[in-house]
Amino acid sequence: MTPEITAIIAILIGLLFCFAGYKIQKLLITIVWFVIGFILANKVGGYFISSSNLLLVIEIITGIIIGSIGFKLEKLALCISVAYLVYITIGPYIPNVEKGVEIIIHFGVSLLVGILSTFFIKPILIIVSSIAGAHIIKYYLPTLVTIPANYLLICVVVIAVLGVLAQFKTN
């Protein structure tokens, strides 16, 4: 594949991320969790089921079930990750209080911020996907056209902002 064709494909993927990243993200997460469920059913079911047709049906059903709840599991993982990061970050900022109270404050604040982060997952993913798409475009566009660096940066910022606005409007 020539560098120009690679650049065109990459730019199209960047535009897709910019303007539909949130929708793609949901689809990709569902596909990943479907595959996890399918493989899990294959590994476990292979020990108990001798019929390959029955095993395939169970794999597909398990994949669909796991895939459909996969997005919810991602929110749980985000909540736990953010809560942990807050927990290890706020320690020095808690005033001198009794050890038991300090742990309760630590845990309570961390859990609250973790739970709140799940409500902001949509805007975070929209902004990140738009910036990622714009970055892909910035990286591959000079392969196709010669653009001065300062104009390239302006173009990419405009594309990222338009992507964010378009995603917020359509999601």
Side-chain angles (χ1 to χ4, degrees):
M1 194 176 321
T2 66
E4 291 81 16
I5 292 176
T6 303
I8 290 170
I9 292 170
I11 288 170
L12 291 174
I13 290 170
L15 288 170
L16 195 59
F17 277 19
C18 248
F19 292 97
Y22 185 71
K23 290 179 182 176
I24 292 171
Q25 176 265 343
K26 286 181 177 180
L27 176 65
L28 289 177
I29 287 172
T30 303
I31 290 170
V32 166
W33 282 103
F34 172 85
V35 170
I36 289 170
F38 188 91
I39 291 171
L40 181 65
N42 178 279
K43 297 292 181 190
V44 174
Y47 290 112
F48 304 108
I49 301 169
S50 58
S51 169
S52 60
N53 290 336
L54 179 60
L55 181 60
L56 179 62
V57 169
I58 291 173
E59 290 167 348
I60 291 172
I61 291 171
T62 304
I64 290 170
I65 291 169
I66 300 282
S68 65
I69 62 173
F71 190 70
K72 299 297 181 190
L73 294 177
E74 183 199 28
K75 285 185 175 185
L76 177 63
L78 174 72
C79 176
I80 292 169
S81 300
V82 169
Y84 176 72
L85 288 173
V86 170
Y87 186 83
I88 63 173
T89 304
I90 66 171
Y93 302 106
I94 295 178
N96 294 331
V97 293
E98 293 180 29
K99 191 66 174 170
V101 175
E102 178 185 346
I103 291 172
I104 291 171
I105 293 171
H106 236 118
F107 183 75
V109 169
S110 300
L111 188 61
L112 178 65
V113 173
I115 290 169
L116 287 175
S117 72
T118 62
F119 294 107
F120 298 108
I121 191 170
K122 183 177 177 180
I124 291 168
L125 291 173
I126 286 173
I127 293 168
V128 167
S129 66
S130 292
I131 291 171
H135 179 72
I136 292 170
I137 293 166
K138 177 182 172 258
Y139 186 79
Y140 284 98
L141 194 58
T143 305
L144 300 175
V145 293
T146 304
I147 300 175
N150 56 347
Y151 292 130
L152 182 61
L153 179 62
I154 292 170
C155 289
V156 168
V157 168
V158 168
I159 290 170
V161 168
L162 290 174
V164 168
L165 294 174
Q167 286 194 68
F168 273 120
K169 186 175 182 172
T170 59
N171 289 309

